[in-house]
């Protein structure tokens, strides 16, 4: 069989749309001896189907594989690709990128002519969001000419800067001999893999050719790992990877490489995260400082002398955790040239601040004398201007702030004046509005100001072209104008404080000014249409009316649509939802149901729906679904795909919303719609505003989250524990709470009553459907999901030996494994018949009713299963990590668990071997207390009470 010259490993996850283009870029290479190895990371969409089709179309050149469970990163699929590759050389390609047409030929020629283990070429970033798809070359100075090096020590910049794995070609024998693999379960895997490859390679060749086109889409709905820096887990992973690379370099004695890498860390890696600090909470900052300072302590002190002054200042102030001086410094870092502090002068030298000048290192790093802030004309300085208060209501915005007065250069007797300027970022004729500032005063190190602007009267946008408006304060000092941008770091700006405006063209497009924070931390406004629009009737919006107003509406809508390249973008749909659909009449009796974000027909929404059918309620039923096509949903309901146009229209016109997790956060609920939130489980883990991740989000994000929670008209609770935890964490008003229990648990309560009455346990048809031996008892293993850093769900791996379980207990028990709905499990063939994967069953409630015992860890199914008064075992093998290093818990499981809590496989198997004694009779009283503490409102009539209260009227 012919051995391919190059194997290109194409990895994909939920990318069915873009995968074909990536594969075509390989198949169309000018080098014909190329094979494609597609590795799908267990996608939830049609990606693997597309991959199989590509393989079927090109059977001699394309092979497709799918991992049994999602790995949550790039490492595992690439490693699998290396193992499956048959080519002499291996390259890597992400499914959203493409190869340059001659990439494989150029790399192969270089590798063969030089005998290099590794060949690297130019990567080109393609900015898809830019108007003309701007391109930038990735560290082009490294690739100015063809060169071959015998050791990475000859070109340290290559290891320090070009950390990509995708613009390179590797000799496969080299990868296998060195045992080179990507790390799994951690992000920034390229940094470590590339470092290991560089260090191990006996020869490296660089070529000046474009080889890889990296498509960058910064406005994508799903943020990439590198763009989720507001998540502390992102920084945890970055630090861990850096430590591993450092250990590698130290083990080889590459001190100079480590020093060069330290410089890059100060000027790049650290800076990426420092820029976001002003917009993040105190909890995030403290944890960030703890992580960063542990690493900064190991940095070579000489590195501070090799970076820009502001980079060194920020790193030094972070090491001191001096937030009052650091946060203004990060503002200056984000806005180069901006002077954000009053400065300090000592013995003829100028320093960034007056603190930390008692040490030689502090004086050296904080010295900014060379910037000549004391000598440059004031008009040439970009003075920092920081908000101190902000409020907006009824079209009027009130702002206050303070401008830096460096070294007191603005004298107390100076003649001062100021205006606020609102200017359209893009418009015809450069539209601006200027409003005089009412209060302006000299305050020593600062110039303080306060102003009020009647936006509705003074700012008159066209309403289409001029969508974004920036805010500046123009400060006049003795007749000279100093223009300053207004930064937001000092005061919360609530996006909910939108302002009425009167656009010149039409209110169909916009009638609100919404404050937003730019990427550089400055105040801006975006036109939107959240208020009452000028069009009063549905017919006008639908284009059914005639005359001048209708023509204006049609023209405005056409302009709006032309301004959007993608009519199915999220922003377009949000605008149409609020501006068009929300003006349609509410349809009496229309009920939209959703369970687990449309992934299932299950849970309490299902129980309410089926109770409505049982009671003969007349209503219009709509169920949302996600994925390619719905499976398992009722045939007597209208099915709409989540985020589709019919979905948005149904939500806008519904009389009732019923779900168990949350309809899209940015969709405003109309006053005539009633939102019944059934929720999906009693809380052990901290939730909502009790969760560290939520606390670390910026003011605007927290306000947006709260606004979404405030949509709930009714929130079901099953016990007073829910009132103390969930209700408080979501900041719900007491009158919103419905103490009726969970409708999904009605069948469990009834099953327990029937069992107590008859003394028998009825299994029902599900056991036969699953092929379970009627002579065997049933254990259900239902663990919670594990959130990986960055918010991704960790791939499921059984924490105990499934084959050993089957061998020891398979004659007595059938084990059902039910992973979280985002996971899947792959069972070894040897356990077939003794262990059954039931993860694909949408509704967990019938599985709970079927099981003779439950094995779980921290899943909320414990509270539901407790209603059956059957044995439970808690396999808490990672309890300390989960309870303390995760997001925390509301109570100590070990103190309240209604069954044994075990930490090892031996303990687990020991309990199962003695199950009747260990987890049944011994814990009977504990189960009763558990139900009393957490499930006192689950009485078996929740669905009936909801239906009679809201739909039949007899409960009112």
């Amino acid at each position: 069989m012919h051995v391919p010259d190059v194997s290109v490993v194409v990895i994909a996850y939920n990318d069915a749309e873009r995968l074909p283009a990536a594969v075509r870029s390989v198949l169309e290479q000018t080098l014909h001896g190329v094979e494609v190895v597609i590795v799908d990371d267990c996608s939830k969409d049609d990606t693997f189907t597309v991959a199989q089709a590509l393989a079927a179309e090109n059977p001699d050149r394309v092979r497709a594989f799918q991992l049994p469970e999602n790995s949550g990163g790039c490492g595992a699929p690439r490693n699998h690709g290396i193992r499956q590759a048959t080519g002499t050389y291996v390259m890597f390609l992400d499914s959203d990128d493409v190869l340059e047409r001659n990439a494989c030929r150029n790399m192969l020629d270089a590798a063969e002519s030089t005998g290099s283990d590794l060949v690297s070429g130019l990567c080109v970033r393609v900015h898809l969001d830019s108007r003309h798809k701007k391109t930038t070359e990735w560290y082009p100075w490294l690739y100015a000419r063809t060169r071959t090096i015998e050791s990475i020590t000859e070109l340290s910049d290559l290891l320090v800067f070009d950390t990509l794995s995708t613009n390179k070609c590797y000799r496969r024998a080299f990868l296998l001999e060195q045992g080179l693999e990507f790390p799994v379960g951690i992000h920034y895997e390229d940094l470590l893999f590339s470092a290991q490859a560089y260090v191990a390679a006996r020869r490296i060749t660089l070529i000046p050719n474009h080889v890889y086109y990296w498509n960058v889409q910064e406005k994508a709905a799903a943020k990439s790992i590198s763009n989720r820096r507001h998540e502390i887990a992102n920084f945890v992973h970055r630090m861990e990877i850096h430590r591993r690379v450092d250990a590698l370099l130290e083990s080889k004695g590459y001190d100079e490489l480590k020093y060069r890498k330290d410089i890059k860390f100060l000027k790049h890696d650290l800076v990426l995260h420092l820029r976001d600090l002003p917009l993040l909470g105190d909890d995030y900052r403290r944890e960030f400082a703890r992580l960063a300072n542990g690493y900064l302590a190991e940095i070579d002190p000489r590195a501070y002398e090799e970076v820009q002054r502001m980079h060194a200042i920020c790193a030094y102030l972070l090491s001191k955790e001096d937030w009052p001086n650091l946060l203004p410094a990060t503002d200056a870092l984000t806005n180069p040239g901006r002077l954000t502090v009053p400065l300090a002068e000592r013995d003829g030298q100028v320093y960034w601040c007056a603190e930390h000048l008692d040490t030689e290192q502090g004086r050296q790093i904080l010295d900014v004398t060379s910037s000549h802030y004391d000598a440059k004309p004031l008009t040439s300085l970009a003075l920092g201007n920081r908000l101190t208060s902000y409020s907006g209501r009824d079209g009027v915005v009130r702002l206050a702030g303070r401008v830096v007065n460096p070294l007191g250069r603005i004298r107390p007797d100076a003649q001062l004046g100021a205006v606020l300027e609102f200017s359209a970022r893009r418009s015809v004729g450069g539209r601006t509005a200027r409003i005089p500032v009412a209060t302006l005063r000299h305050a020593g190190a600062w110039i303080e100001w306060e102003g009020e602007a009647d936006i509705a009267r003074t700012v008159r946008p066209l309403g289409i072209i001029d969508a974004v408006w920036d805010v500046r304060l123009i400060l006049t000092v003795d007749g000279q104008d100093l223009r300053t941008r207004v930064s937001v770091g000092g005061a919360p700006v609530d996006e909910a404080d939108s302002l009425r405006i009167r656009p010149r063209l039409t209110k169909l497009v916009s009638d609100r000014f919404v404050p937003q924070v730019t990427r550089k931390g400055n105040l801006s406004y975006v036109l939107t249409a959240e208020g009452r629009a000028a069009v009063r009737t549905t017919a006008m919006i639908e284009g059914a009316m005639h005359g001048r107003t209708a023509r204006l509406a049609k023209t405005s809508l056409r302009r709006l649509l032309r301004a959007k390249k993608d009519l199915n973008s999220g922003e377009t749909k949000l605008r149409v939802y609020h501006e068009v659909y929300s003006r349609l009449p509410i349809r009496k009796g229309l009920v939209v149901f959703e369970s687990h974000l449309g992934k299932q027909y299950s849970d309490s929404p299902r129980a309410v729906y089926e109770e409505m059918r049982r009671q003969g309620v007349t209503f219009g039923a709509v169920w949302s679904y996600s994925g390619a096509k719905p499976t398992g949903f009722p045939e007597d309901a209208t099915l709409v795909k989540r985020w589709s146009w019919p979905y948005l229209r149904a939500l806008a016109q519904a009389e009732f919303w019923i779900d168990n997790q949350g309809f899209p956060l940015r969709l405003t609920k109309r006053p005539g719609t009633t939102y019944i939130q059934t929720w999906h489980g009693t809380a052990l883990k901290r939730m909502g505003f009790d969760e560290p991740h939520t606390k670390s989000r910026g003011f605007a994000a927290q306000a947006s989250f709260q606004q979404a929670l405030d949509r709930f008209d009714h929130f079901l609770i099953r016990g007073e524990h829910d009132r103390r935890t969930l209700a408080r964490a979501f900041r719900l008003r007491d009158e919103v709470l419905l103490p009726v229990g969970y409708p999904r648990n009605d069948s469990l309560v009834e099953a327990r009553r029937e069992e107590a009455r008859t003394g028998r346990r009825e299994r029902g048809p599900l056991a036969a459907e699953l092929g379970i031996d009627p002579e065997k008892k049933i254990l259900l293993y239902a663990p919670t999901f594990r959130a990986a850093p960055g918010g991704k769900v960790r791939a499921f791996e059984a924490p105990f030996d499934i084959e050993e379980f089957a061998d020891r207990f398979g004659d007595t028990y059938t084990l059902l494994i039910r992973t979280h709905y985002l996971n899947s499990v792959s069972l070894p063939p040897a356990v077939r018949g003794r262990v059954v994967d039931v993860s694909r069953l949408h509704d967990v409630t019938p599985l709970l009713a079927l099981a003779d015992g439950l094995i779980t860890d921290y899943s909320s199914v414990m509270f539901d299963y407790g209603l059956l008064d059957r044995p439970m075992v808690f396999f808490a093998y990672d309890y300390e990590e989960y309870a303390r290093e995760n997001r925390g818990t509301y109570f100590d499981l070990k103190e309240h668990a209604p069954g044994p809590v075990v930490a090892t496989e031996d303990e687990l198997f020991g309990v199962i071997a003695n199950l009747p004694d260990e987890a049944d009779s011994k814990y009977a009283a504990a189960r009763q207390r558990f139900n009393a503490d957490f499930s006192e409102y689950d009485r078996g009539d929740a669905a009936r009470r909801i239906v009679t209260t809201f739909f039949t009227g007899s409960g009112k």
Side-chain angles (χ1 to χ4, degrees):
M1 187 177 72
H2 175 69
V3 176
D5 294 314
V6 180
S7 295
V8 180
V9 176
V10 182
I11 65 169
Y13 176 70
N14 285 355
D15 204 12
E17 182 178 352
R18 293 178 293 190
L19 177 61
V23 173
R24 279 197 304 272
S25 78
V26 182
L27 296 177
E28 293 171 2
Q29 288 288 301
T30 54
L31 178 70
H32 297 298
V34 181
E35 74 162 353
V36 184
V37 179
I38 305 173
V39 183
D40 172 46
D41 197 9
C42 199
S43 295
K44 307 303 179 185
D45 65 357
D46 291 331
T47 297
F48 188 57
T49 302
V50 172
Q52 290 176 309
L54 290 167
E57 293 168 9
N58 306 274
D60 297 327
R61 300 189 65 192
V62 179
R63 291 179 291 138
F65 302 89
Q66 185 179 49
L67 298 187
E69 54 195 33
N70 178 250
S71 69
C74 300
R78 285 180 182 158
N79 292 339
H80 189 78
I82 294 172
R83 292 190 289 270
Q84 297 297 333
T86 61
T88 305
Y89 295 89
V90 176
M91 295 174 61
F92 301 104
L93 173 63
D94 292 345
S95 60
D96 52 348
D97 301 327
V98 294
L99 292 182
E100 195 276 338
R101 192 164 181 263
N102 300 293
C104 292
R105 177 179 296 280
N106 289 333
M107 288 200 164
L108 177 67
D109 288 347
E112 293 290 273
S113 63
T114 62
S116 294
D117 289 328
L118 188 161
V119 177
S120 188
L122 255 173
C123 173
V124 180
R125 286 165 58 94
V126 182
H127 300 269
L128 300 180
D129 294 328
S130 64
R131 187 179 300 181
H132 302 295
K133 293 188 178 180
K134 181 184 73 172
T135 60
T136 55
E137 294 180 336
W138 187 253
Y139 298 114
W141 79 85
L142 292 170
Y143 299 94
R145 60 182 174 85
T146 299
R147 65 174 122 177
T148 298
I149 58 176
E150 302 296 326
S151 169
I152 189 61
T153 58
E154 297 177 32
L155 186 61
S156 59
D157 278 355
L158 184 60
L159 180 143
V160 170
F161 291 98
D162 189 356
T163 57
L164 300 178
S165 66
T166 48
N167 60 333
K168 297 173 177 60
C169 180
Y170 311 83
R171 192 183 301 276
R172 185 165 65 92
F174 159 69
L175 296 179
L176 298 177
E177 289 167 4
Q178 297 294 328
L180 292 180
E181 288 191 337
F182 290 85
V184 177
I186 188 168
H187 300 306
Y188 302 104
E189 56 276 324
D190 267 14
L191 275 71
L192 182 57
F193 181 86
S194 296
Q196 291 171 331
Y198 285 142
V199 168
R202 287 160 294 197
R203 185 172 294 161
I204 301 170
T205 295
L206 280 66
I207 60 175
N209 308 88
H210 290 174
V211 298
Y212 193 93
Y213 291 110
W214 176 3
N215 292 322
V216 181
Q217 194 167 4
E218 295 184 359
K219 297 178 182 177
K223 293 293 185 183
S224 66
I225 296 300
S226 59
N227 286 328
R228 297 205 295 266
R229 291 186 293 273
H230 61 284
E231 299 172 356
I232 195 64
N234 182 293
F235 192 62
V236 171
H237 278 219
R238 188 185 287 271
M239 290 294 90
E240 175 60 23
I241 287 292
H242 273 283
R243 291 184 187 280
R244 293 188 192 182
V245 174
D246 291 348
L248 171 67
L249 298 180
E250 290 169 0
S251 71
K252 298 293 183 179
Y254 291 162
D255 295 338
E256 181 64 19
L257 272 177
K258 168 67 166 58
Y259 168 58
R260 293 297 170 189
K261 181 178 166 298
D262 286 348
I263 295 172
K264 193 217 176 184
F265 179 83
L266 291 179
K267 65 192 295 186
H268 175 73
D269 299 83
L270 185 62
V271 167
L272 286 175
H273 293 267
L274 286 172
R275 287 171 175 163
D276 295 328
L277 282 185
L279 303 179
L280 298 171
D282 290 338
D283 289 343
Y284 178 98
R285 292 174 188 167
R286 282 192 292 269
E287 182 63 10
F288 174 83
R290 184 186 70 80
L291 293 167
N293 288 335
Y295 188 80
L296 287 174
E298 302 169 10
I299 291 284
D300 190 323
R302 296 177 299 156
Y304 286 90
E305 301 171 12
E306 299 293 331
V307 300
Q308 294 179 20
R309 179 63 59 184
M310 196 51 62
H311 293 161
I313 288 174
C314 286
Y316 180 76
L317 293 175
L318 175 63
S319 72
K320 301 297 182 183
E321 297 192 40
D322 182 351
W323 302 109
N325 287 313
L326 172 59
L327 294 180
T330 61
D331 189 5
L333 200 63
T334 305
N335 298 275
R338 181 180 292 179
L339 181 57
T340 55
V341 292
L343 304 176
E345 189 172 9
R346 299 285 189 277
D347 301 322
Q349 299 295 108
V350 178
Y351 298 96
W352 182 257
C353 58
E355 290 74 19
H356 318 297
L357 301 181
D358 54 344
T359 67
E360 179 61 27
Q361 185 186 31
R363 290 191 296 271
Q364 182 178 358
I365 292 177
L366 298 172
D367 192 331
V368 293
T369 306
S370 60
S371 297
H372 303 295
Y373 291 125
D374 55 335
K376 289 181 179 179
L378 277 175
T379 52
S380 69
L381 299 180
L383 300 182
N385 184 358
R386 196 172 176 85
L387 275 183
T388 55
S389 69
Y390 177 94
S391 65
R393 187 177 181 182
D394 297 329
V396 177
V397 61
R398 296 173 179 82
L399 308 94
R402 59 182 191 175
V403 180
V404 170
N405 181 11
L407 301 172
R409 294 185 59 190
I410 302 176
R411 304 183 314 277
D413 59 350
Q415 295 295 314
L416 302 179
V419 295
L420 279 169
E421 179 184 83
F422 295 78
S423 59
R425 191 173 298 174
R426 180 185 300 169
S427 68
V428 179
R431 303 188 59 79
T432 61
R434 290 189 173 185
I435 299 106
V437 169
T439 303
L440 192 64
R441 54 182 172 268
H442 196 291
W446 311 94
I447 304 298
E448 298 178 344
W449 59 271
E450 297 176 15
E452 181 177 291
D454 187 341
I455 299 297
R457 291 179 178 274
T458 56
V459 178
R460 296 296 307 279
L462 287 175
I464 294 179
I465 300 172
D466 45 359
V468 181
W469 290 62
D470 295 316
V471 183
R472 291 176 175 83
L473 180 89
I474 301 176
L475 177 66
T476 303
V477 179
D478 291 333
Q480 294 183 313
D481 287 346
L482 310 179
R483 296 176 62 84
T484 68
R485 283 300 304 268
V486 179
S487 67
V488 177
V493 173
D494 191 345
E495 291 184 9
D497 290 336
S498 60
L499 305 166
R500 290 196 311 272
I501 56 167
R502 295 185 297 156
R504 295 177 183 272
L505 184 56
T506 171
K507 291 185 179 180
L508 270 173
V509 176
S510 55
D511 65 357
R512 289 276 168 172
F513 236 359
V514 177
Q516 288 193 352
V517 182
T518 70
R519 292 180 62 186
K520 292 192 172 184
N522 299 317
L523 177 65
S524 67
Y525 288 87
V526 176
L527 294 177
T528 186
E530 294 181 349
R532 295 183 177 181
V535 180
R536 301 297 183 183
T537 67
T538 301
M540 287 179 63
I541 298 172
E542 297 281 347
M545 290 185 65
H546 302 284
R548 181 176 179 276
T549 303
R551 287 195 300 274
L552 178 61
K554 291 177 183 178
T555 301
S556 300
L557 283 174
R558 280 196 297 268
R559 289 176 178 174
L560 170 63
L561 295 177
R562 281 198 301 268
K564 298 291 185 181
K565 291 183 179 179
D566 183 3
L567 296 182
N568 285 315
S569 70
E571 292 302 320
T572 302
K573 287 185 173 181
L574 284 171
R575 177 165 290 188
V576 172
Y577 172 86
H578 289 104
E579 189 58 36
V580 179
Y581 290 160
S582 292
R583 286 167 172 74
L584 301 177
I586 287 179
R587 290 172 51 191
K588 292 296 183 182
L590 179 61
V591 187
V592 178
F593 297 86
E594 185 171 285
S595 178
H596 294 302
L597 308 179
K599 293 180 175 67
Q600 300 175 357
Y601 172 59
S602 66
D603 212 77
S604 292
R606 173 178 179 170
V608 173
Y609 173 79
E610 293 178 349
E611 180 65 20
M612 292 173 72
R613 289 299 189 202
R614 275 193 293 272
Q615 292 195 30
V617 176
T618 301
F619 67 106
V622 173
W623 269 93
S624 89
Y625 70 91
S626 63
K629 58 182 179 180
T631 56
F633 287 83
E635 296 181 357
D636 56 355
T638 299
L639 306 184
V640 293
K641 187 171 183 177
R642 203 170 196 263
W643 268 113
S644 66
W645 293 109
Y647 174 81
L648 296 174
R649 181 162 182 163
L651 284 175
Q653 291 192 271
E655 185 181 7
F656 288 92
W657 291 359
I658 300 178
D659 90 314
N660 68 346
Q661 198 155 337
F663 289 107
L665 300 182
R666 295 175 67 186
L667 297 183
T668 302
K669 182 185 70 70
R670 298 172 68 180
T673 300
T674 299
Y675 190 167
I676 302 174
Q677 173 57 257
T678 68
W679 201 238
H680 54 274
T682 295
L684 169 62
K685 299 160 287 192
R686 293 191 177 275
M687 304 290 291
F689 286 95
D690 290 343
E691 190 180 350
H693 168 71
T694 305
K695 293 178 181 178
S696 70
R697 299 168 71 187
F699 295 115
Q702 289 192 31
S704 178
F705 181 47
Q706 184 63 63
Q707 189 175 17
L709 296 172
D710 289 343
R711 297 178 302 174
F712 301 159
D713 295 296
H714 304 283
F715 185 92
L716 272 58
I717 62 173
R718 53 185 306 198
E720 286 303 299
H721 172 78
D722 291 349
R723 192 187 302 272
R724 295 189 299 270
T725 55
L726 285 172
R728 188 193 66 184
F730 292 153
R731 300 177 180 174
L732 301 177
R733 304 183 311 278
D734 195 63
E735 59 268 24
V736 170
L737 306 181
L738 275 183
V740 298
Y742 284 169
R744 72 182 185 198
N745 289 338
D746 290 349
S747 60
L748 300 181
V749 175
E750 181 57 33
R752 173 58 185 155
R753 288 173 180 163
E754 187 66 13
E755 186 177 332
R757 186 180 66 83
T758 64
R760 297 193 311 273
R761 183 173 302 168
E762 298 292 340
R763 285 191 170 181
L766 181 58
E769 292 174 17
L770 296 174
I772 297 174
D773 186 338
E775 299 300 319
K776 292 183 182 180
K777 291 187 177 181
I778 299 170
L779 289 179
L780 173 64
Y781 177 49
T784 190
F785 72 94
R786 298 295 197 278
K792 291 187 178 181
V793 177
R794 291 180 183 172
F796 174 77
E797 295 181 6
F800 58 88
D801 190 325
I802 293 177
E803 293 189 58
E804 167 124 4
F805 176 95
D807 291 341
R808 290 184 59 175
F809 306 111
D811 293 337
T812 305
Y813 294 104
T814 295
L815 178 67
L816 307 181
I817 296 184
R818 209 254 187 191
T819 64
H820 188 266
Y821 64 84
L822 294 178
N823 284 131
S824 61
V825 61
S826 179
L827 296 176
V831 303
R832 186 175 294 123
R834 296 175 292 173
V835 182
V836 182
D837 176 17
V838 292
S839 302
R840 300 299 181 186
L841 295 181
H842 281 183
D843 208 339
V844 71
T845 303
L847 295 171
L848 297 177
L850 181 62
D852 297 291
L854 173 70
I855 305 170
T856 187
D857 44 15
Y858 324 107
S859 172
S860 63
V861 297
M862 70 175 79
F863 303 103
D864 305 319
Y865 194 77
L867 297 169
L868 293 165
D869 194 25
R870 298 176 191 169
M872 281 189 273
V873 182
F874 297 86
F875 188 27
Y877 57 90
D878 58 349
Y879 183 74
E880 297 302 321
E881 175 189 352
Y882 189 86
R884 291 169 175 79
E885 296 180 20
N886 201 288
R887 65 194 195 202
T889 60
Y890 284 115
F891 62 87
D892 189 337
L893 178 64
K894 294 180 179 179
E895 294 181 4
H896 292 80
V901 180
V902 296
T904 68
E905 180 182 285
D906 288 343
E907 291 176 327
L908 174 65
F909 289 170
V911 169
I912 294 173
N914 300 284
L915 192 57
D917 296 325
E918 287 293 323
D920 193 355
S921 57
K922 184 177 178 180
Y923 285 90
R927 289 199 296 272
Q928 296 301 318
R929 289 194 301 271
F930 192 75
N931 288 339
D933 289 342
F934 299 106
S935 310
E936 61 261 47
Y937 300 141
D938 273 322
R939 304 187 184 100
D941 60 353
R944 180 183 59 79
R945 293 176 66 182
I946 289 172
V947 173
T948 55
T949 298
F950 295 103
F951 298 102
T952 66
S954 58
K956 294 182 179 178

